[in-house]
Amino acid sequence: MPRAPAAHTAKDASAALRALADPEVAAHAARYFKTGPGEYGEGDQFLGLRVPQVRAVARAHREMPLAEVRKLLASGYHEERLCAALILVTQFQRGDEKTRAAIYRAYVAGLKHLNNWDLVDTSAPHVVGGWLLSRDRSQLYKWARSRSLWKRRVAIMGTFAFIRQGDFADTLAIAEILLGDKHDLIHKAAGWMLREVGNMDRAVEEAFLRKHYQDMPRTMLRYAIEKFPEKRRQAYLKGRV
């Protein structure tokens, strides 16, 4: 009787990624993701792969056991963590309730490894937002008030799943919490999610903006009104709404 093929492991995926490593791409990525002293990605390491390459490896290893995905998520290399995040998203989307619960728990346990904006944005809307769609969302508010930049970004990005269902309340409430945030990456994420609300219902977004636009970080406002007609966009920017 033929043996069943061995399950994919973190080492398998790591070897596949490292076979595609490109030092020039790695050097560019290190600059792009701000890995210098004092920058938000300080100390992160890159193998040097482009995102489509990482996605291809993730697809090839999508059946990896969750314990192995967690090992990959703990890697010191950015692309290996991204690969793990992509696998978690695929397994969450294809999984039953028990599988999804386990993936959500693993995701939350591994939040410290989701430590750059692409890792969060790739995964939080699907895993966090997907799990909390029909559940208590109080955890998002705890993360929104966290000292961790990435937990705050998970909080707002996780609401993307709600927006797609026409449910805007948590996005607006968390964006309000983040109005005083000091980090540009939070301003961008909150503005992006407000724009997505507007894509679904412009009146809801504008009600929020009329209340807060004069106090919003400029970057958050610019992201939120990016798709507005030019005359309306300028009115917000010039404080003439």
Side-chain angles (χ1 to χ4, degrees), residues 17-53:
L17 291 165
R18 294 178 192 215
L20 299 169
D22 183 327
E24 289 188 14
V25 175
H28 172 77
R31 293 190 297 272
Y32 181 70
F33 286 103
K34 307 295 184 185
T35 63
E39 294 182 310
Y40 62 74
E42 181 177 357
D44 204 355
Q45 300 179 75
F46 290 81
L47 294 168
L49 284 83
R50 302 192 185 281
V51 173
Q53 294 175 302

Side-chain angles (χ1 to χ4, degrees), residues 115-142:
N115 56 354
N116 217 307
W117 57 265
D118 62 323
L119 305 177
V120 170
D121 297 359
T122 294
S123 56
H126 303 286
V127 177
V128 172
W131 180 250
L132 298 180
L133 264 175
S134 57
R135 294 176 175 83
D136 176 74
R137 301 172 184 177
S138 58
Q139 181 63 64
L140 293 178
Y141 292 82
K142 294 176 184 176

Side-chain angles (χ1 to χ4, degrees), residues 4 17 25 32 34 38 47 53 67 83 89 124-125 138 142-144 148 150 165 170 179 183 197 201 220 223 230 241:
L17 291 165
V25 175
Y32 181 70
K34 307 295 184 185
L47 294 168
Q53 294 175 302
C83 185
V89 169
S138 58
K142 294 176 184 176
W143 287 333
S148 165
W150 306 117
Q165 298 296 316
D170 293 290
L179 285 172
H183 207 290
V197 169
D201 191 326
M220 188 186 297
Y223 269 63
E230 183 61 18
V241 176

Side-chain angles (χ1 to χ4, degrees), residues 21-214:
D22 183 327
E24 289 188 14
V25 175
H28 172 77
R31 293 190 297 272
Y32 181 70
F33 286 103
K34 307 295 184 185
T35 63
E39 294 182 310
Y40 62 74
E42 181 177 357
D44 204 355
Q45 300 179 75
F46 290 81
L47 294 168
L49 284 83
R50 302 192 185 281
V51 173
Q53 294 175 302
V54 181
R55 288 188 179 277
V57 173
R59 282 194 300 272
H61 295 80
R62 63 180 178 268
E63 305 297 337
M64 186 184 296
L66 185 55
E68 292 295 316
V69 183
R70 293 184 67 170
K71 291 179 186 177
L72 192 63
L73 186 62
S75 170
Y77 285 100
H78 189 102
E79 294 94 338
E80 293 185 352
R81 299 197 305 281
L82 177 58
C83 185
L86 291 166
I87 293 170
L88 288 176
V89 169
T90 297
Q91 292 186 355
F92 185 89
Q93 292 174 331
R94 293 155 61 103
D96 58 17
E97 193 77 354
K98 183 178 179 180
T99 298
R100 289 183 171 204
I103 290 170
Y104 176 76
R105 289 194 298 270
Y107 188 93
V108 172
L111 274 179
K112 66 181 179 181
H113 303 302
L114 295 156
N115 56 354
N116 217 307
W117 57 265
D118 62 323
L119 305 177
V120 170
D121 297 359
T122 294
S123 56
H126 303 286
V127 177
V128 172
W131 180 250
L132 298 180
L133 264 175
S134 57
R135 294 176 175 83
D136 176 74
R137 301 172 184 177
S138 58
Q139 181 63 64
L140 293 178
Y141 292 82
K142 294 176 184 176
W143 287 333
R145 294 181 172 91
S146 171
R147 295 179 63 183
S148 165
L149 164 64
W150 306 117
K151 286 183 179 179
R152 300 198 306 275
R153 187 147 176 139
V154 166
I156 189 66
M157 290 304 302
T159 70
F160 204 167
F162 314 155
I163 295 170
R164 289 169 174 150
Q165 298 296 316
D167 179 356
F168 312 131
D170 293 290
T171 302
L172 300 177
I174 291 172
E176 194 166 31
I177 291 170
L178 297 174
L179 285 172
D181 204 283
K182 303 301 182 185
H183 207 290
D184 187 60
L185 287 177
I186 299 301
H187 304 165
K188 291 177 179 178
W192 175 13
M193 290 302 99
L194 290 170
R195 185 174 75 235
E196 293 297 336
V197 169
N199 288 342
M200 298 286 288
D201 191 326
R202 177 64 62 82
V204 171
E205 182 190 6
E206 290 226 46
F208 181 92
L209 292 177
R210 284 193 298 272
K211 182 178 179 182
H212 296 294
Y213 80 98
Q214 291 182 322

